[in-house]
Amino acid sequence: VATLEEAIALAPQGDLVAELETRLGLTYTALGRVDEAQTHLLRGMVVAEHIGDRVEHAIAERGLARLDAIRGNPAALEAKIRSAAQVFEGLGETYELAVTLSMWGEALLDLPKSTRLRVPLEAVGDAAKRSAALFRELGVIALAAEALITLARLESERDHYDQALALLEKAEQW
């Protein structure tokens, strides 16, 4: 964290600042420091928007989606994931699109269980399967399998054991 903060202070304004602010926000998210994470993700998003860096803007938006999940807001999570995915798809950023689609399922696991169980899995499942296919196309088999394993976990929570088992078996084949 300190290294990223020092880099932000030394960096010239522009794309480097947007990226550093976003990465600092993602780091704070991983540390569970949600308020600080939001501050830096929003700063990164504003700088990226100002300079027209749509990729960095969408990465920051994806990070904010994770915060929405942590705060128990599945509707905001979905809106931000869909928005970020649309940007990556439009720009042809296949890896970032796959990460975003996969992160939707992962972020659901950050929701309180009572909220998570009320979220329909159809769109999340489609996103996870598409993410897995994209990762496979890119040759990143471990992340493809991870997307299916996350979906299997979500399915098993709902007592959909046949679907979960089929997903696990498919991931294991890879």
Side-chain angles (χ1 to χ4, degrees):
V1 171
T3 303
L4 286 170
E5 289 174 343
E6 287 175 30
I8 290 169
L10 297 173
Q13 291 301 311
D15 62 340
L16 186 57
V17 171
E19 189 170 338
L20 289 170
E21 287 285 1
T22 300
R23 296 313 173 273
L24 185 55
L26 296 172
T27 301
Y28 278 129
T29 301
L31 294 172
R33 294 165 62 178
V34 177
D35 292 335
E36 292 161 294
Q38 181 171 346
T39 298
H40 289 283
L41 288 168
L42 288 172
R43 282 184 196 159
M45 192 178 225
V46 167
V47 172
E49 188 172 333
H50 179 71
I51 63 172
D53 187 339
R54 294 174 56 206
V55 170
E56 201 58 44
H57 185 275
I59 290 171
E61 187 169 32
R62 184 174 65 206
L64 290 168
R66 192 74 181 242
L67 295 181
D68 288 330
I70 291 168
R71 291 181 172 139
N73 189 340
L77 162 65
E78 179 177 353
K80 286 182 178 75
I81 288 294
R82 286 185 184 274
S83 176
Q86 185 177 19
V87 169
F88 293 133
E89 185 149 31
L91 294 174
E93 292 285 341
T94 306
Y95 179 81
E96 293 297 344
L97 174 60
V99 168
T100 301
L101 295 172
S102 179
M103 202 272 290
W104 192 356
E106 294 166 17
L108 278 185
L109 295 170
D110 291 333
L111 289 168
K113 187 172 184 178
S114 61
T115 303
R116 182 171 60 243
L117 291 175
R118 290 188 309 239
V119 175
L121 283 186
E122 291 81 22
V124 177
D126 291 344
K129 290 172 187 172
R130 182 160 182 226
S131 171
L134 292 171
F135 279 131
R136 280 188 51 124
E137 287 174 17
L138 293 169
V140 189
I141 304 306
L143 293 180
E146 190 174 311
L148 293 185
I149 291 167
T150 300
L151 180 57
R153 182 173 171 194
L154 292 166
E155 291 285 6
S156 69
E157 275 188 327
R158 294 158 192 248
D159 298 330
H160 301 160
Y161 299 118
D162 289 342
Q163 293 95 323
L165 182 59
L167 291 164
L168 291 173
E169 288 172 346
K170 188 172 186 177
E172 183 181 43
Q173 289 173 358
W174 297 341

